[in-house]
Amino acid sequence: MRREMPFEVSSAGFMVDLVRQGLGVGMLPAAYAPRFPDLRVIRLRDAPTRVEHLVWGDLPSPAATAFLELLRADHAESG
């Protein structure tokens, strides 16, 4: 599958609105897609992946600290 991303949106809700208006297609995690039963879903095999980069200052905020702890815990479970 060849993938082009001419646009990115900041929320799944906005993407779903664009899809409902016939302005494109979107990719959502399988667990999230059932929230929109009015849309057609096609499951992809070997779906594209992406890398996320996190940045923070010398002293991460409490929210950033909690997020990093979740990532570390998930990494420890899957590794």
Side-chain angles (χ1 to χ4, degrees):
M1 179 174 118
R2 192 171 137 233
R3 178 176 86 156
E4 289 182 33
M5 283 191 326
F7 305 102
E8 288 190 35
V9 297
S10 57
S11 73
F14 181 49
M15 179 181 64
V16 168
D17 287 343
L18 293 173
V19 170
R20 284 184 176 132
Q21 294 182 37
L23 298 174
V25 297
M27 294 179 70
L28 292 169
Y32 198 72
R35 295 180 185 196
F36 310 102
D38 60 313
L39 298 178
R40 254 187 100 182
V41 175
I42 299 172
R43 292 188 181 271
L44 299 177
R45 293 184 198 167
D46 298 321
T49 60
R50 66 190 221 186
V51 176
E52 299 287 341
H53 299 273
L54 305 174
V55 296
W56 61 88
D58 291 335
L59 297 172
S61 69
T65 300
F67 185 64
L68 290 170
E69 288 173 4
L70 286 172
L71 291 176
R72 287 183 187 117
D74 184 59
H75 183 70
E77 290 176 12
S78 64

